[in-house]
Amino acid sequence: MSYSKTFLEHIEEPRNVGELQPPAVVVEVVNSACGDRIRLSVLVEEGKISSVKMRAFGCAPTLAAASVLTEVVKGYSLDEANVFTTEDLVKVLGVLPRGKKHAADLAVEALHTALSKLIV
Amino acid sequence: MELLNNKKRIYFDNSATTAVASEVVEAMGPYFTDFFGNASSVHSFGQQAKAAMDKARRQVAALIGAEFNEIVFLSGGTEANNLAIRGITQAYQDKGRHIITSQFEHPAVLNTCASLEKQGWQVTYLPVYENGIVRLEDVKAAMTDQTLLVTLMHANNEIGTIQPIAEIAKFIKEDIRPKRKNIFLHTDAVQTVGKVSLDVKSLGVDMLSISAHKLHAPKGIGALYIRKGVRIASQQTGGHQERDRRAGTENIPAIVAFGCAAELARKNIDTYTRQVEPLRDYLEQQIAKNIPDLVFNGDHNYRLPNIANISFKYVDGEALLIALDLKGVAVSTGAACASGSTEQSHVLVALGLEKDVVRGSLRFSLSRYNTREEVDYLLEVLPAVVEKLRRISPLYQERLKQESLKSQIA
Ligand SMILES: Cc1ncc(COP(=O)(O)O)c(C=O)c1O
């Protein structure tokens, strides 16, 4: 197993665990194939993501992806957040084992789902 | 692992493989450099190799109460299971074409049976129930006049439950064999040998598989016990080694190591009841005391002394495994998630456990080298690791919410 240092640090000490209250939006996305789930809270103030929290259930890559995501996107403008991709997240997470990219997909899906709720 | 800047590394995965005992390493060394002969050679080098192999064969035979010529050396548990199942079905194929096995065998048995099914054999996969034990009455009910082979593991590798092999052997001997002499009983005892004293004659089996790397010898060596008088068809063509049952130049250093480990295991067998079992029980009791929402998997009475299989609800076993590895503790899990679908342990699924219980399962498997200090270290780090993963888990949050709702209503 060759997880990156960043990945392992986030498993040891997951960041931004928890949930935000309204007006933050809270979404939960589930990978129907394996049951992994991420609950993401996003607060936007003055066009920027000012606070992000997460909870996650699933294999280590899912937990690490959710944790890393919260650190990376904090401070992003909505435009930046909207174009954020799985590949961007994997760059920070480090290489994932074969068959584990879905963990990063799920985290990015959570972000975009939250953003779509904001805009309406 | 990189983050493991610390010193401590503890191994609780002895069902996967074991450390080679230092005595064993020492015993095999000279057979690489000084006594490297081919056991089939006539000169003194060959004769030394042959003598060493004979000694090892006696040591392995003594461990299971077999006779010298009833031990066939081969490459390990997988090959032993293949040779037993393929060898017997091929040798007696005109005597019946039905096999009885169970749903929670090792893949070396399950996949071999599946491949025979493709060749027209009938296979019955017996249920193992929630306690992980096959029932004699199911064996009786599955028996037909076509049944040639019953192959059931002695102890399961994930939950450690021990199967009623002696009772099944007695039934076959008393009720079936008088009518049909060509019915055979094979047991995969890879997890048992060296941990529970076992005697092939009182067990009453015709064939028994052993893997050396589970008892502190190297990987790639093992044995199949074949009761005198039972014929098997060799599965590879070649020389006359192992009395025509397994062709190929014998791996003398590994065989010597296996013999040495077998003798050590025989001498130390009571450490499993005296030391390992109490340590395993202590581990379980302390975990039960300090961590809520657990499920203990497998029968509590009929099982190996060294395995504990525990499900930690609301967390994923693989995440738990990695978090524990970061603390220097190696265990294994029945949940492995790949390509976005969770591949669950066929053993835990066969027990009929709920998906979530399977998902949170961890196996702790000890050896005679584990210490109380090591278990105490585990007990020190595990509750916090589980708690941390539960705190992140949305499933656990939901459970907490429901609990507090319930207490408000009450
Ligand atoms: C019950 C059981 N049977 C067979 C095997 C296979 O043995 P080997 O690794 O020597 O091929 C194992 C080891 O994983 C096992 O646990």
Short mmCIF file of all heavy atoms in Angstrom, two decimals, chain A residues 1 3-5 7-9 11-14 17 19 28 31 33-37 39 54-61 63 99-100 102, chain B residues 1-3 314-316 318-319 321-323 325-327 336-342 355 359 388-389 391-395 397-398 401:
data_model
loop_
_atom_site.label_atom_id
_atom_site.label_comp_id
_atom_site.label_asym_id
_atom_site.label_seq_id
_atom_site.Cartn_x
_atom_site.Cartn_y
_atom_site.Cartn_z
N MET A 1 0.85 -1.19 0.00
CA MET A 1 0.00 0.00 0.00
C MET A 1 0.88 1.24 0.00
O MET A 1 1.84 1.31 0.75
CB MET A 1 -0.86 -0.01 1.25
CG MET A 1 -2.17 0.68 1.06
SD MET A 1 -3.32 0.25 2.36
CE MET A 1 -2.28 -0.08 3.76
N TYR A 3 -0.11 4.81 0.14
CA TYR A 3 -0.86 6.05 0.27
C TYR A 3 0.10 7.19 0.55
O TYR A 3 1.16 7.01 1.16
CB TYR A 3 -1.87 5.94 1.41
CG TYR A 3 -3.05 5.03 1.10
CD1 TYR A 3 -3.33 3.93 1.89
CD2 TYR A 3 -3.88 5.31 0.02
CE1 TYR A 3 -4.41 3.11 1.61
CE2 TYR A 3 -4.97 4.50 -0.27
CZ TYR A 3 -5.23 3.40 0.53
OH TYR A 3 -6.30 2.60 0.25
N SER A 4 -0.28 8.41 0.12
CA SER A 4 0.59 9.57 0.31
C SER A 4 0.60 10.00 1.78
O SER A 4 -0.27 9.61 2.56
CB SER A 4 0.11 10.73 -0.55
OG SER A 4 -1.08 11.26 0.01
N LYS A 5 1.58 10.83 2.10
CA LYS A 5 1.70 11.36 3.45
C LYS A 5 0.44 12.17 3.81
O LYS A 5 -0.11 12.03 4.90
CB LYS A 5 2.95 12.24 3.51
CG LYS A 5 3.42 12.61 4.88
CD LYS A 5 4.91 12.96 4.85
CE LYS A 5 5.42 13.27 6.24
NZ LYS A 5 5.11 14.62 6.70
N PHE A 7 -2.55 11.86 2.58
CA PHE A 7 -3.65 10.92 2.75
C PHE A 7 -3.64 10.35 4.18
O PHE A 7 -4.63 10.39 4.90
CB PHE A 7 -3.49 9.79 1.73
CG PHE A 7 -4.58 8.76 1.75
CD1 PHE A 7 -5.57 8.76 0.77
CD2 PHE A 7 -4.61 7.77 2.73
CE1 PHE A 7 -6.57 7.79 0.78
CE2 PHE A 7 -5.62 6.81 2.76
CZ PHE A 7 -6.60 6.82 1.77
N LEU A 8 -2.49 9.87 4.60
CA LEU A 8 -2.40 9.23 5.92
C LEU A 8 -2.62 10.22 7.05
O LEU A 8 -3.23 9.90 8.07
CB LEU A 8 -1.04 8.52 6.06
CG LEU A 8 -0.86 7.35 5.09
CD1 LEU A 8 0.56 6.78 5.21
CD2 LEU A 8 -1.88 6.25 5.32
N GLU A 9 -2.15 11.45 6.85
CA GLU A 9 -2.38 12.47 7.87
C GLU A 9 -3.86 12.75 8.06
O GLU A 9 -4.33 12.95 9.18
CB GLU A 9 -1.64 13.77 7.50
CG GLU A 9 -0.15 13.71 7.83
CD GLU A 9 0.63 14.87 7.20
OE1 GLU A 9 0.01 15.72 6.53
OE2 GLU A 9 1.86 14.88 7.38
N ILE A 11 -6.24 10.59 7.50
CA ILE A 11 -6.87 9.43 8.14
C ILE A 11 -6.61 9.49 9.65
O ILE A 11 -7.49 9.23 10.47
CB ILE A 11 -6.32 8.11 7.55
CG1 ILE A 11 -6.80 7.92 6.11
CG2 ILE A 11 -6.75 6.90 8.40
CD1 ILE A 11 -8.30 7.89 5.95
N GLU A 12 -5.40 9.86 10.00
CA GLU A 12 -5.06 9.97 11.42
C GLU A 12 -5.85 11.08 12.09
O GLU A 12 -6.33 10.93 13.20
CB GLU A 12 -3.56 10.27 11.57
CG GLU A 12 -2.70 9.05 11.61
CD GLU A 12 -1.74 9.06 12.80
OE1 GLU A 12 -0.87 9.95 12.81
OE2 GLU A 12 -1.87 8.17 13.67
N GLU A 13 -5.96 12.19 11.40
CA GLU A 13 -6.62 13.36 11.98
C GLU A 13 -7.53 14.00 10.94
O GLU A 13 -7.14 14.97 10.27
CB GLU A 13 -5.53 14.34 12.46
CG GLU A 13 -5.91 15.17 13.65
CD GLU A 13 -6.50 14.35 14.80
OE1 GLU A 13 -5.76 13.60 15.46
OE2 GLU A 13 -7.73 14.46 15.00
N PRO A 14 -8.73 13.48 10.80
CA PRO A 14 -9.64 14.06 9.79
C PRO A 14 -9.96 15.52 10.14
O PRO A 14 -10.11 15.86 11.31
CB PRO A 14 -10.89 13.20 9.89
CG PRO A 14 -10.46 11.95 10.59
CD PRO A 14 -9.35 12.35 11.51
N VAL A 17 -14.49 18.05 10.83
CA VAL A 17 -15.56 17.08 11.06
C VAL A 17 -16.76 17.79 11.70
O VAL A 17 -16.58 18.57 12.64
CB VAL A 17 -15.08 15.96 12.00
CG1 VAL A 17 -16.23 15.01 12.33
CG2 VAL A 17 -13.92 15.21 11.38
N GLU A 19 -21.03 19.44 11.25
CA GLU A 19 -22.14 19.89 10.42
C GLU A 19 -22.38 21.37 10.72
O GLU A 19 -22.23 21.78 11.88
CB GLU A 19 -23.38 19.08 10.79
CG GLU A 19 -24.24 18.72 9.60
CD GLU A 19 -25.26 17.66 9.98
OE1 GLU A 19 -24.87 16.51 10.28
OE2 GLU A 19 -26.44 18.01 10.00
N GLU A 28 -26.13 15.22 1.42
CA GLU A 28 -25.53 13.90 1.65
C GLU A 28 -25.56 13.13 0.34
O GLU A 28 -26.61 13.00 -0.28
CB GLU A 28 -26.29 13.14 2.74
CG GLU A 28 -25.59 11.83 3.10
CD GLU A 28 -26.06 11.24 4.44
OE1 GLU A 28 -26.02 11.97 5.45
OE2 GLU A 28 -26.45 10.07 4.44
N ASN A 31 -22.70 6.55 -2.55
CA ASN A 31 -22.30 5.68 -3.66
C ASN A 31 -23.15 4.42 -3.54
O ASN A 31 -22.96 3.63 -2.62
CB ASN A 31 -20.81 5.35 -3.56
CG ASN A 31 -20.35 4.42 -4.67
OD1 ASN A 31 -21.11 3.57 -5.14
ND2 ASN A 31 -19.11 4.58 -5.07
N ALA A 33 -23.29 1.74 -5.11
CA ALA A 33 -22.65 0.43 -5.28
C ALA A 33 -22.02 -0.09 -3.99
O ALA A 33 -22.13 -1.27 -3.67
CB ALA A 33 -21.58 0.50 -6.38
N CYS A 34 -21.38 0.79 -3.23
CA CYS A 34 -20.67 0.28 -2.06
C CYS A 34 -21.21 0.83 -0.74
O CYS A 34 -20.81 0.38 0.33
CB CYS A 34 -19.17 0.59 -2.15
SG CYS A 34 -18.78 2.33 -2.15
N GLY A 35 -22.13 1.80 -0.81
CA GLY A 35 -22.72 2.31 0.44
C GLY A 35 -21.91 3.41 1.10
O GLY A 35 -22.31 3.92 2.14
N ASP A 36 -20.77 3.79 0.51
CA ASP A 36 -20.00 4.90 1.07
C ASP A 36 -20.83 6.17 1.01
O ASP A 36 -21.58 6.38 0.06
CB ASP A 36 -18.71 5.12 0.27
CG ASP A 36 -17.64 4.10 0.63
OD1 ASP A 36 -17.98 3.13 1.34
OD2 ASP A 36 -16.49 4.27 0.20
N ARG A 37 -20.72 7.02 2.04
CA ARG A 37 -21.49 8.27 2.00
C ARG A 37 -20.71 9.44 2.59
O ARG A 37 -19.88 9.27 3.48
CB ARG A 37 -22.84 8.12 2.68
CG ARG A 37 -22.78 7.74 4.14
CD ARG A 37 -24.18 7.61 4.71
NE ARG A 37 -24.87 6.46 4.12
CZ ARG A 37 -26.20 6.35 4.00
NH1 ARG A 37 -26.97 7.32 4.41
NH2 ARG A 37 -26.73 5.27 3.48
N ARG A 39 -21.47 13.45 3.99
CA ARG A 39 -22.39 14.55 4.29
C ARG A 39 -21.55 15.82 4.37
O ARG A 39 -20.64 15.93 5.20
CB ARG A 39 -23.12 14.30 5.60
CG ARG A 39 -24.22 15.33 5.84
CD ARG A 39 -24.92 15.10 7.15
NE ARG A 39 -25.63 13.83 7.15
CZ ARG A 39 -26.29 13.35 8.21
NH1 ARG A 39 -26.31 14.04 9.33
NH2 ARG A 39 -26.90 12.20 8.15
N MET A 54 -17.59 18.26 7.18
CA MET A 54 -17.97 16.98 6.57
C MET A 54 -18.15 15.90 7.63
O MET A 54 -17.60 15.97 8.72
CB MET A 54 -16.88 16.55 5.56
CG MET A 54 -15.56 16.17 6.19
SD MET A 54 -15.49 14.43 6.72
CE MET A 54 -13.90 14.36 7.52
N ARG A 55 -18.96 14.90 7.23
CA ARG A 55 -18.94 13.60 7.89
C ARG A 55 -18.86 12.57 6.78
O ARG A 55 -19.39 12.79 5.68
CB ARG A 55 -20.21 13.37 8.70
CG ARG A 55 -20.26 14.17 9.99
CD ARG A 55 -21.35 13.63 10.89
NE ARG A 55 -21.75 14.61 11.88
CZ ARG A 55 -21.05 14.90 12.98
NH1 ARG A 55 -19.91 14.27 13.22
NH2 ARG A 55 -21.47 15.80 13.83
N ALA A 56 -18.24 11.42 7.05
CA ALA A 56 -18.12 10.42 5.99
C ALA A 56 -18.13 9.03 6.58
O ALA A 56 -17.65 8.80 7.69
CB ALA A 56 -16.83 10.64 5.20
N PHE A 57 -18.72 8.12 5.82
CA PHE A 57 -18.66 6.71 6.17
C PHE A 57 -18.13 5.96 4.96
O PHE A 57 -18.56 6.20 3.84
CB PHE A 57 -20.06 6.17 6.51
CG PHE A 57 -20.11 4.66 6.58
CD1 PHE A 57 -19.70 3.99 7.72
CD2 PHE A 57 -20.54 3.91 5.49
CE1 PHE A 57 -19.71 2.61 7.78
CE2 PHE A 57 -20.55 2.51 5.54
CZ PHE A 57 -20.14 1.86 6.69
N GLY A 58 -17.21 5.04 5.19
CA GLY A 58 -16.72 4.24 4.08
C GLY A 58 -15.26 3.92 4.23
O GLY A 58 -14.69 4.08 5.32
N CYS A 59 -14.66 3.47 3.15
CA CYS A 59 -13.27 3.05 3.19
C CYS A 59 -12.37 4.28 3.37
O CYS A 59 -12.80 5.42 3.24
CB CYS A 59 -12.90 2.26 1.95
SG CYS A 59 -13.20 3.14 0.42
N ALA A 60 -11.12 4.01 3.68
CA ALA A 60 -10.18 5.09 3.98
C ALA A 60 -10.12 6.16 2.88
O ALA A 60 -10.12 7.35 3.19
CB ALA A 60 -8.79 4.50 4.27
N PRO A 61 -10.07 5.79 1.61
CA PRO A 61 -10.02 6.83 0.57
C PRO A 61 -11.23 7.79 0.63
O PRO A 61 -11.08 8.98 0.38
CB PRO A 61 -10.00 6.04 -0.74
CG PRO A 61 -9.34 4.75 -0.36
CD PRO A 61 -9.84 4.45 1.02
N LEU A 63 -12.93 8.65 3.33
CA LEU A 63 -12.74 9.55 4.48
C LEU A 63 -11.68 10.60 4.15
O LEU A 63 -11.86 11.79 4.42
CB LEU A 63 -12.30 8.75 5.72
CG LEU A 63 -13.16 7.55 6.14
CD1 LEU A 63 -12.68 7.01 7.48
CD2 LEU A 63 -14.63 7.91 6.21
N GLY A 99 -8.97 1.27 -8.57
CA GLY A 99 -10.35 0.99 -8.18
C GLY A 99 -10.85 1.88 -7.05
O GLY A 99 -11.94 1.69 -6.55
N LYS A 100 -10.04 2.85 -6.61
CA LYS A 100 -10.47 3.69 -5.48
C LYS A 100 -10.76 5.14 -5.88
O LYS A 100 -11.00 5.98 -5.03
CB LYS A 100 -9.38 3.69 -4.39
CG LYS A 100 -9.12 2.33 -3.77
CD LYS A 100 -10.19 1.94 -2.78
CE LYS A 100 -9.71 0.78 -1.91
NZ LYS A 100 -10.72 0.33 -0.97
N HIS A 102 -13.27 6.28 -7.17
CA HIS A 102 -14.67 6.61 -6.88
C HIS A 102 -14.80 7.39 -5.57
O HIS A 102 -15.75 8.12 -5.37
CB HIS A 102 -15.52 5.35 -6.81
CG HIS A 102 -15.17 4.47 -5.64
ND1 HIS A 102 -14.09 3.62 -5.64
CD2 HIS A 102 -15.75 4.35 -4.43
CE1 HIS A 102 -14.04 3.00 -4.48
NE2 HIS A 102 -15.01 3.42 -3.72
N MET B 1 4.97 1.83 6.80
CA MET B 1 4.26 3.00 6.32
C MET B 1 4.97 4.28 6.77
O MET B 1 5.54 4.32 7.83
CB MET B 1 2.84 2.98 6.87
CG MET B 1 1.82 3.28 5.81
SD MET B 1 0.20 3.34 6.53
CE MET B 1 -0.44 1.80 5.99
N GLU B 2 4.88 5.31 5.95
CA GLU B 2 5.68 6.51 6.20
C GLU B 2 5.45 7.15 7.56
O GLU B 2 6.38 7.52 8.24
CB GLU B 2 5.38 7.56 5.13
CG GLU B 2 6.17 7.35 3.86
CD GLU B 2 5.76 8.37 2.83
OE1 GLU B 2 5.90 9.57 3.11
OE2 GLU B 2 5.29 7.96 1.75
N LEU B 3 4.17 7.25 7.92
CA LEU B 3 3.88 7.96 9.15
C LEU B 3 4.34 7.23 10.40
O LEU B 3 4.34 7.75 11.49
CB LEU B 3 2.37 8.20 9.27
CG LEU B 3 1.82 9.45 8.62
CD1 LEU B 3 0.46 9.75 9.16
CD2 LEU B 3 2.75 10.66 8.85
N TYR B 314 -21.09 0.83 12.42
CA TYR B 314 -21.04 2.23 11.96
C TYR B 314 -19.66 2.66 11.45
O TYR B 314 -19.44 3.83 11.20
CB TYR B 314 -21.51 3.22 13.04
CG TYR B 314 -22.78 2.77 13.69
CD1 TYR B 314 -22.79 2.34 15.02
CD2 TYR B 314 -23.98 2.74 12.98
CE1 TYR B 314 -23.94 1.89 15.62
CE2 TYR B 314 -25.14 2.30 13.57
CZ TYR B 314 -25.12 1.88 14.89
OH TYR B 314 -26.27 1.43 15.49
N VAL B 315 -18.72 1.73 11.35
CA VAL B 315 -17.46 2.09 10.70
C VAL B 315 -17.12 1.02 9.66
O VAL B 315 -17.66 -0.07 9.67
CB VAL B 315 -16.28 2.25 11.70
CG1 VAL B 315 -16.53 3.38 12.66
CG2 VAL B 315 -16.01 0.96 12.43
N ASP B 316 -16.19 1.37 8.81
CA ASP B 316 -15.76 0.47 7.75
C ASP B 316 -14.48 -0.24 8.20
O ASP B 316 -13.54 0.40 8.67
CB ASP B 316 -15.51 1.29 6.48
CG ASP B 316 -14.88 0.47 5.39
OD1 ASP B 316 -15.61 -0.29 4.74
OD2 ASP B 316 -13.66 0.57 5.21
N GLU B 318 -12.08 -1.63 6.63
CA GLU B 318 -10.83 -1.29 5.95
C GLU B 318 -10.26 0.04 6.45
O GLU B 318 -9.05 0.19 6.61
CB GLU B 318 -11.07 -1.24 4.44
CG GLU B 318 -9.83 -1.46 3.65
CD GLU B 318 -10.04 -1.15 2.18
OE1 GLU B 318 -11.04 -0.48 1.84
OE2 GLU B 318 -9.22 -1.55 1.37
N ALA B 319 -11.15 0.99 6.71
CA ALA B 319 -10.70 2.27 7.25
C ALA B 319 -10.11 2.05 8.65
O ALA B 319 -9.06 2.62 9.00
CB ALA B 319 -11.85 3.26 7.32
N LEU B 321 -8.78 -0.72 9.72
CA LEU B 321 -7.50 -1.43 9.53
C LEU B 321 -6.37 -0.44 9.25
O LEU B 321 -5.29 -0.53 9.85
CB LEU B 321 -7.66 -2.42 8.37
CG LEU B 321 -6.50 -3.34 8.00
CD1 LEU B 321 -7.05 -4.56 7.25
CD2 LEU B 321 -5.46 -2.68 7.13
N ILE B 322 -6.63 0.51 8.36
CA ILE B 322 -5.57 1.47 7.99
C ILE B 322 -5.26 2.39 9.17
O ILE B 322 -4.09 2.68 9.46
CB ILE B 322 -5.97 2.25 6.73
CG1 ILE B 322 -5.95 1.28 5.53
CG2 ILE B 322 -5.03 3.42 6.47
CD1 ILE B 322 -6.46 1.85 4.24
N ALA B 323 -6.30 2.81 9.89
CA ALA B 323 -6.08 3.68 11.05
C ALA B 323 -5.28 2.93 12.12
O ALA B 323 -4.40 3.52 12.77
CB ALA B 323 -7.41 4.16 11.61
N ASP B 325 -3.19 0.44 11.51
CA ASP B 325 -1.85 0.25 10.93
C ASP B 325 -0.99 1.48 11.20
O ASP B 325 0.21 1.38 11.48
CB ASP B 325 -1.98 0.00 9.43
CG ASP B 325 -0.71 -0.57 8.82
OD1 ASP B 325 0.04 -1.25 9.56
OD2 ASP B 325 -0.45 -0.34 7.64
N LEU B 326 -1.64 2.67 11.14
CA LEU B 326 -0.90 3.89 11.44
C LEU B 326 -0.43 3.94 12.89
O LEU B 326 0.51 4.64 13.22
CB LEU B 326 -1.78 5.12 11.13
CG LEU B 326 -2.00 5.37 9.64
CD1 LEU B 326 -3.09 6.40 9.42
CD2 LEU B 326 -0.71 5.83 8.99
N LYS B 327 -1.13 3.20 13.74
CA LYS B 327 -0.69 3.10 15.14
C LYS B 327 0.27 1.94 15.33
O LYS B 327 0.67 1.62 16.46
CB LYS B 327 -1.90 2.89 16.06
CG LYS B 327 -2.94 3.98 15.98
CD LYS B 327 -2.47 5.22 16.73
CE LYS B 327 -3.57 6.27 16.74
NZ LYS B 327 -3.03 7.60 17.02
N ALA B 336 -13.62 -5.44 1.91
CA ALA B 336 -12.64 -4.82 1.03
C ALA B 336 -13.42 -4.14 -0.07
O ALA B 336 -14.24 -4.76 -0.74
CB ALA B 336 -11.69 -5.84 0.45
N CYS B 337 -13.17 -2.87 -0.22
CA CYS B 337 -13.95 -2.09 -1.18
C CYS B 337 -13.07 -1.85 -2.39
O CYS B 337 -11.97 -1.32 -2.27
CB CYS B 337 -14.35 -0.79 -0.50
SG CYS B 337 -14.98 0.47 -1.57
N ALA B 338 -13.53 -2.27 -3.56
CA ALA B 338 -12.75 -2.06 -4.77
C ALA B 338 -13.68 -1.67 -5.90
O ALA B 338 -14.82 -2.16 -5.97
CB ALA B 338 -11.97 -3.31 -5.14
N SER B 339 -13.20 -0.80 -6.76
CA SER B 339 -13.97 -0.36 -7.92
C SER B 339 -15.39 0.07 -7.54
O SER B 339 -16.34 -0.19 -8.27
CB SER B 339 -14.06 -1.46 -8.98
OG SER B 339 -12.78 -1.96 -9.22
N GLY B 340 -15.52 0.66 -6.39
CA GLY B 340 -16.80 1.23 -6.03
C GLY B 340 -17.85 0.21 -5.61
O GLY B 340 -19.00 0.54 -5.43
N SER B 341 -17.47 -1.04 -5.45
CA SER B 341 -18.43 -1.98 -4.89
C SER B 341 -17.72 -2.74 -3.79
O SER B 341 -16.57 -3.11 -3.93
CB SER B 341 -18.95 -2.93 -5.95
OG SER B 341 -17.96 -3.86 -6.27
N THR B 342 -18.44 -2.94 -2.69
CA THR B 342 -17.77 -3.58 -1.57
C THR B 342 -17.79 -5.09 -1.77
O THR B 342 -18.82 -5.70 -1.92
CB THR B 342 -18.46 -3.22 -0.26
OG1 THR B 342 -18.38 -1.82 -0.11
CG2 THR B 342 -17.75 -3.85 0.92
N LYS B 355 -25.30 -6.62 6.25
CA LYS B 355 -24.25 -5.96 5.47
C LYS B 355 -23.35 -5.08 6.32
O LYS B 355 -22.13 -5.08 6.19
CB LYS B 355 -24.90 -5.09 4.41
CG LYS B 355 -24.77 -5.61 3.00
CD LYS B 355 -25.30 -4.55 2.05
CE LYS B 355 -24.88 -4.88 0.63
NZ LYS B 355 -25.56 -4.05 -0.35
N ARG B 359 -19.39 -5.27 7.08
CA ARG B 359 -18.57 -4.12 6.68
C ARG B 359 -17.62 -3.67 7.80
O ARG B 359 -16.51 -3.22 7.56
CB ARG B 359 -19.51 -2.97 6.31
CG ARG B 359 -18.83 -1.74 5.79
CD ARG B 359 -18.95 -1.64 4.30
NE ARG B 359 -17.92 -0.77 3.81
CZ ARG B 359 -18.14 0.28 3.02
NH1 ARG B 359 -19.34 0.54 2.58
NH2 ARG B 359 -17.14 1.02 2.61
N LYS B 388 -13.01 7.88 16.90
CA LYS B 388 -12.73 8.91 15.91
C LYS B 388 -13.47 8.62 14.60
O LYS B 388 -14.11 9.50 14.02
CB LYS B 388 -11.22 8.97 15.66
CG LYS B 388 -10.78 10.20 14.90
CD LYS B 388 -9.27 10.29 14.81
CE LYS B 388 -8.64 10.91 16.05
NZ LYS B 388 -7.16 10.89 15.98
N LEU B 389 -13.42 7.36 14.17
CA LEU B 389 -14.10 7.02 12.92
C LEU B 389 -15.62 7.12 13.08
O LEU B 389 -16.33 7.46 12.14
CB LEU B 389 -13.70 5.62 12.45
CG LEU B 389 -12.25 5.49 11.97
CD1 LEU B 389 -11.94 4.06 11.57
CD2 LEU B 389 -11.98 6.43 10.79
N ARG B 391 -17.15 9.22 15.08
CA ARG B 391 -17.48 10.63 15.17
C ARG B 391 -17.63 11.22 13.76
O ARG B 391 -18.43 12.10 13.51
CB ARG B 391 -16.40 11.37 15.95
CG ARG B 391 -16.86 12.64 16.63
CD ARG B 391 -15.87 13.10 17.69
NE ARG B 391 -14.50 13.15 17.20
CZ ARG B 391 -13.99 14.12 16.45
NH1 ARG B 391 -14.73 15.15 16.12
NH2 ARG B 391 -12.74 14.08 16.05
N ILE B 392 -16.85 10.71 12.82
CA ILE B 392 -16.96 11.19 11.43
C ILE B 392 -18.18 10.59 10.75
O ILE B 392 -18.70 11.15 9.82
CB ILE B 392 -15.74 10.74 10.60
CG1 ILE B 392 -14.43 10.99 11.33
CG2 ILE B 392 -15.70 11.44 9.26
CD1 ILE B 392 -13.27 10.35 10.61
N SER B 393 -18.61 9.41 11.21
CA SER B 393 -19.60 8.65 10.45
C SER B 393 -21.00 9.24 10.55
O SER B 393 -21.55 9.36 11.64
CB SER B 393 -19.62 7.20 10.95
OG SER B 393 -20.70 6.51 10.40
N PRO B 394 -21.61 9.58 9.40
CA PRO B 394 -22.99 10.07 9.45
C PRO B 394 -23.96 8.99 9.95
O PRO B 394 -24.99 9.32 10.53
CB PRO B 394 -23.30 10.46 7.99
CG PRO B 394 -22.26 9.82 7.16
CD PRO B 394 -21.07 9.55 8.03
N LEU B 395 -23.61 7.73 9.75
CA LEU B 395 -24.47 6.65 10.22
C LEU B 395 -24.54 6.65 11.74
O LEU B 395 -25.59 6.43 12.35
CB LEU B 395 -23.95 5.29 9.75
CG LEU B 395 -23.82 5.08 8.25
CD1 LEU B 395 -23.23 3.71 7.95
CD2 LEU B 395 -25.17 5.23 7.58
N GLN B 397 -24.01 9.24 13.66
CA GLN B 397 -24.75 10.43 14.10
C GLN B 397 -26.24 10.16 14.10
O GLN B 397 -26.96 10.56 15.01
CB GLN B 397 -24.44 11.62 13.17
CG GLN B 397 -23.01 12.10 13.24
CD GLN B 397 -22.56 12.40 14.66
OE1 GLN B 397 -23.25 13.08 15.39
NE2 GLN B 397 -21.41 11.85 15.05
N GLU B 398 -26.70 9.45 13.04
CA GLU B 398 -28.11 9.12 12.97
C GLU B 398 -28.53 8.24 14.13
O GLU B 398 -29.59 8.43 14.73
CB GLU B 398 -28.43 8.41 11.65
CG GLU B 398 -29.18 9.30 10.70
CD GLU B 398 -28.82 9.01 9.26
OE1 GLU B 398 -28.89 7.83 8.86
OE2 GLU B 398 -28.42 9.95 8.54
N LYS B 401 -28.89 10.32 17.18
CA LYS B 401 -30.11 11.11 17.13
C LYS B 401 -31.31 10.26 17.53
O LYS B 401 -32.14 10.68 18.32
CB LYS B 401 -30.32 11.65 15.70
CG LYS B 401 -30.08 13.15 15.59
CD LYS B 401 -30.41 13.63 14.19
CE LYS B 401 -29.24 14.38 13.58
NZ LYS B 401 -29.30 14.46 12.12
#
